[in-house]
Amino acid sequence: MAPKNVGSSAKKVMNKGTWTAEEDQKLSQYIEIHGAKRWEIAAATAGLNRCGKSCRLRWLNYLRPNIKRGNISDAEEDLILRLHKLLGNRWSLIAGRLPGRTDNEIKNYWNSHLNKKINRAMIEKTLEVPTAAVLLRDRTEITMPQKSGASINDQVGIEAAGGHVKENGNTELAANSEFTELGSCTGLEWANKFLELDDDAWLF
DNA sequence: AACGAAGTCAACCGCTAATTT
DNA sequence: GAAATTAGCGGTTGACTTCGT
């Protein structure tokens, strides 16, 4: 679908909506040369009639290298469930532990797949049917939504679990706990260690 | 085949945090 | 230190697709 133009005649009209292949190419070429920064300037210089925010999102979610799309594996799903239990709706932190996955994708996956799964499990529990779904519920209790951007609050849940937020946005599980060594791990390596600890640690 | 409902997901919006001037 | 700018985050929207009748 071609992007639609919006805005008043007095202001510069920006494209909105789905990106075209041509726009993708322009943005990719610009970033290849200048790097992924100064998005407003990038949008203007690359000849994109888009706002900087839109360019940033497009790059992060679709154009940057090593993006995985679709087919979230069982292991990844399990990890998302566990991380969500730990972190709540901290999609970027959760995504940081799933190589190639974006916060937007995980958020969408949660809202469309996992939320439903959990709700079903909750309903089954109220009917007192002891099934695997109930076990799933037990491992993925609903957490309170959290407001974005509150740096102090952001850290509370993590620090309560013995960790702190790193500069790069990843959650490092900290010293004085079983999680010390996990902070330096990435992706499935981290996940595997996390899952090993999970069963007999503090998540239940 | 036609239609509406439900599901999916890309993209936008509003906000705060971080950085720069 | 204050103001302006930029980056990043999570919630929400809306277009499109799939499913059920």
Side-chain angles (χ1 to χ4, degrees):
Chain A
M1 181 182 38
K4 60 189 174 194
N5 293 328
V6 297
S8 69
S9 56
K11 289 183 73 176
K12 183 164 166 39
V13 179
M14 292 290 184
N15 285 348
K16 292 180 81 169
T18 309
W19 279 63
T20 64
E22 189 189 353
E23 287 177 307
D24 284 347
Q25 193 185 359
K26 282 181 180 176
L27 182 58
S28 296
Q29 280 175 354
Y30 178 91
I31 288 169
E32 201 173 310
I33 296 165
H34 298 96
K37 56 187 177 184
R38 307 297 298 269
W39 294 106
E40 291 293 339
I41 292 167
T45 311
L48 293 163
N49 199 21
R50 297 268 182 179
C51 67
K53 273 179 145 183
S54 182
C55 293
R56 177 187 161 272
L57 198 70
R58 185 67 183 171
W59 171 256
L60 291 176
N61 287 341
Y62 300 95
L63 299 177
R64 76 185 151 106
N66 305 321
I67 289 282
K68 271 194 228 166
R69 309 219 36 84
N71 295 327
I72 288 182
S73 67
D74 289 346
E76 285 176 313
E77 181 180 306
D78 192 47
L79 181 57
I80 292 168
L81 287 165
R82 289 164 186 263
L83 287 170
H84 186 270
K85 180 171 180 174
L86 173 67
L87 300 169
N89 295 356
R90 308 295 308 285
W91 307 116
S92 64
L93 289 176
I94 294 171
R97 294 298 181 182
L98 288 151
R101 299 296 183 186
T102 68
D103 56 350
N104 208 34
E105 185 179 21
I106 289 168
K107 179 171 60 180
N108 282 334
Y109 187 73
W110 179 270
N111 287 332
S112 58
H113 294 84
L114 299 181
N115 241 352
K116 241 174 293 169
K117 232 176 185 175
I118 290 165
N119 285 339
R120 270 202 304 274
M122 296 279 278
I123 289 165
E124 287 190 33
K125 169 62 178 177
T126 60
L127 296 173
E128 301 217 323
V129 180
T131 64
V134 173
L135 292 174
L136 172 65
R137 187 286 326 267
D138 287 341
R139 295 169 76 89
T140 57
E141 72 181 16
I142 305 293
T143 57
M144 291 294 288
Q146 296 172 21
K147 186 77 185 146
S148 66
S151 63
I152 305 264
N153 290 338
D154 280 351
Q155 296 180 35
V156 168
I158 297 156
E159 285 170 351
H164 66 274
V165 178
K166 295 181 75 174
E167 282 177 21
N168 65 6
N170 282 347
T171 306
E172 180 173 356
L173 295 166
N176 302 323
S177 80
E178 297 171 90
F179 299 96
T180 304
E181 62 184 302
L182 297 182
S184 60
C185 302
T186 58
L188 292 177
E189 182 193 356
W190 180 90
N192 289 335
K193 292 191 177 185
F194 179 75
L195 296 175
E196 282 170 23
L197 290 168
D198 180 26
D199 287 336
D200 51 43
W202 42 272
L203 280 177
F204 292 101

